[in-house]
């Protein structure tokens, strides 16, 4: 066997061993999403994500200046489109976010806050494969996504009033709308809503 | 055919799963019976009494304005959203009616 052929064969064996190890680690829990992703998976996934974002996208500056109007637009957009998984405060602590694989990240932490504006925009617009993050790009989507970038930067400083505003803007089921209307009419002084079976105004 | 139906059923379950996921919570609607530094008690119209623990993260509001525990009065109408922690109910959000002048 020539020297070149030996090198190719050794590289092939190494590739199979490394690849097999990665697959074994990734699928050691079967296809279940209940297990917490390992530190190795998280590290590899983050590295791959960084590597996969084109450098011109990474370096793109936010074309919009932060302002109360831009933050308000980002807040409304986030509450309506993002909070189901990421939570209003960006913690990822929702029924969906904490059970995705990988888990929805805490957007207030350095792993997200350390990304460039361009990286955040790219992820919002293009999504991330093999995660729950969808691609939101569409006609006219760029302005809203850049507003979201400003709002994500603001998440660590979110106050109680802003969280209350977001709760009013979160998507609601018909039952939730009815419950909200019941609450508001009761607080205005109307009759209390009818007692729900077994709970006496104490609902689950 | 059975295999196709199975695949479709699994796909439907995967797509529909998140739509059925929701946060479990507890809500009480009534008047404030009492409030202390660490507890608010709500009395529903049928007399059912529900105590909620107050924590630093508990948020108070009157209309769309942020309020605080100091704005709560006994007899005031209130809606309290809570979450269970062991055998306790923690107040997450307290919505208050405006005081009557």
């Amino acid at each position: 066997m020539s020297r070149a052929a030996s090198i190719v064969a050794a590289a092939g064996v190494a590739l199979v061993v490394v690849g097999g190890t990665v697959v074994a680690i990734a699928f050691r829990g079967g296809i279940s999403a209940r297990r917490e992703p390992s530190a190795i998976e998280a590290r590899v996934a983050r590295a791959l994500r960084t590597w996969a974002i084109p450098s011109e996208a990474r370096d793109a500056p936010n074309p919009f200046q932060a302002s109360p109007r831009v933050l308000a637009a980002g807040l409304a957009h986030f509450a309506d489109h993002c909070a189901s998984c990421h939570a209003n405060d960006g913690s990822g602590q929702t029924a969906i976010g904490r059970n995705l694989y990988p888990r929805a990240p805490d957007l207030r932490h350095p792993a997200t806050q350390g990304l460039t504006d361009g990286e955040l925009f790219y992820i919002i617009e293009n999504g991330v494969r093999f995660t729950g993050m969808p691609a939101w790009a569409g006609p006219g989507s760029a302005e809203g996504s850049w507003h979201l970038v400003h709002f994500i930067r603001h998440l660590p400083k979110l106050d109680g009033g802003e969280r209350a505003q977001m709760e009013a803007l979160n998507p609601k089921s018909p039952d939730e709308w009815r419950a909200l209307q019941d609450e508001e009419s009761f607080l205005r002084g109307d009759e209390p809503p009818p007692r729900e079976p077994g709970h006496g105004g104490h609902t689950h | 055919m059975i295999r196709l139906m199975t695949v479709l059923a699994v796909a439907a379950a995967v797509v529909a799963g998140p739509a059925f996921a929701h946060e479990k919570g507890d809500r009480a609607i009534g008047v404030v019976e009492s409030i202390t530094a660490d507890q608010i008690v709500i009395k529903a119209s049928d007399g059912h009494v529900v105590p909620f623990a107050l924590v630093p993260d508990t948020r108070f509001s009157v209309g769309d304005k942020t309020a605080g525990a100091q704005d709560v009065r006994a007899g005031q109408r209130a809606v309290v959203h809570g979450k269970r922690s062991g055998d306790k109910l923690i107040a997450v959000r307290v919505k208050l009616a405006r005081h009557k002048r």
Side-chain angles (χ1 to χ4, degrees):
Chain A
M1 188 185 282
S2 71
R3 183 177 167 74
S6 298
I7 291 171
V8 169
V13 169
L15 196 63
V16 168
V17 170
V18 171
T21 305
V22 169
V23 169
I25 289 170
F27 288 95
R28 71 197 190 288
I31 59 166
S32 172
R34 297 177 66 184
R35 194 169 189 144
E36 201 65 34
S38 69
I40 294 175
E41 281 178 82
R43 189 172 284 241
V44 169
R46 285 217 173 94
L48 284 174
R49 184 185 65 186
T50 302
W51 175 76
I53 296 175
S55 60
E56 63 271 22
R58 183 177 307 129
D59 298 336
N62 194 328
F64 297 92
Q65 291 291 316
S67 69
R69 186 192 69 79
V70 164
L71 277 181
L75 178 150
H77 196 147
F78 192 95
D80 190 34
H81 289 74
C82 314
S84 300
C85 296
H86 288 292
N88 284 334
D89 61 3
S91 65
Q93 292 302 308
T94 70
I96 298 174
R98 63 174 161 259
N99 291 306
L100 284 170
Y101 194 98
R103 314 294 180 230
D106 190 325
L107 301 179
R108 302 165 301 182
H109 285 182
T112 298
Q113 294 294 323
L115 297 173
T116 66
D117 285 358
E119 286 173 322
L120 291 173
F121 176 81
Y122 188 90
I123 290 168
I124 295 166
E125 287 276 297
N126 295 283
V128 182
R129 284 191 197 182
F130 308 119
T131 74
M133 182 64 191
W136 293 100
S141 67
E143 182 173 345
S145 295
W146 283 118
H147 291 169
L148 280 175
V149 171
H150 276 305
F151 183 69
I152 290 167
R153 299 285 185 220
H154 178 70
L155 279 171
K157 295 171 283 194
L158 199 69
D159 65 31
E162 289 167 328
R163 281 199 285 176
Q165 280 180 48
M166 295 177 82
E167 282 172 11
L169 296 167
N170 289 147
K172 292 174 184 62
S173 68
D175 280 351
E176 288 169 328
W177 275 116
R178 187 166 51 80
L180 188 62
Q181 285 167 352
D182 283 348
E183 290 175 16
E184 287 172 359
S185 76
F186 173 73
L187 292 174
R188 280 196 305 269
D190 297 344
E191 285 299 305
R195 180 181 185 273
E196 296 184 29
H199 294 296
H202 177 208
T203 64
H204 296 267
Chain B
M1 188 61 184
I2 290 173
R3 182 180 291 183
L4 176 63
M5 288 173 70
T6 305
V7 169
L8 288 174
V10 169
V14 167
V15 170
F20 291 111
H22 63 278
E23 298 285 347
K24 289 260 186 278
D26 289 77
R27 179 183 73 165
I29 298 179
V31 295
V32 177
E33 184 168 89
S34 65
I35 181 162
T36 62
D38 52 13
Q39 180 175 261
I40 183 168
V41 180
I42 301 298
K43 187 173 186 180
S45 55
D46 64 351
H48 194 85
V49 172
V50 189
F52 288 87
L54 296 175
V55 295
D57 285 343
T58 301
R59 286 175 293 129
F60 295 84
S61 62
V62 178
D64 55 2
K65 300 252 185 332
T66 302
Q70 72 279 1
D71 298 308
V72 182
R73 302 280 180 276
Q76 189 174 13
R77 287 188 173 212
V79 176
V80 182
H81 290 266
K83 64 179 178 187
R84 289 204 172 273
S85 176
D87 59 352
K88 278 170 67 173
L89 267 174
I90 309 286
V92 174
R93 181 152 188 217
V94 181
K95 296 160 83 172
L96 300 162
R98 288 187 172 81
H99 294 298
K100 286 184 179 158
R101 289 165 192 263

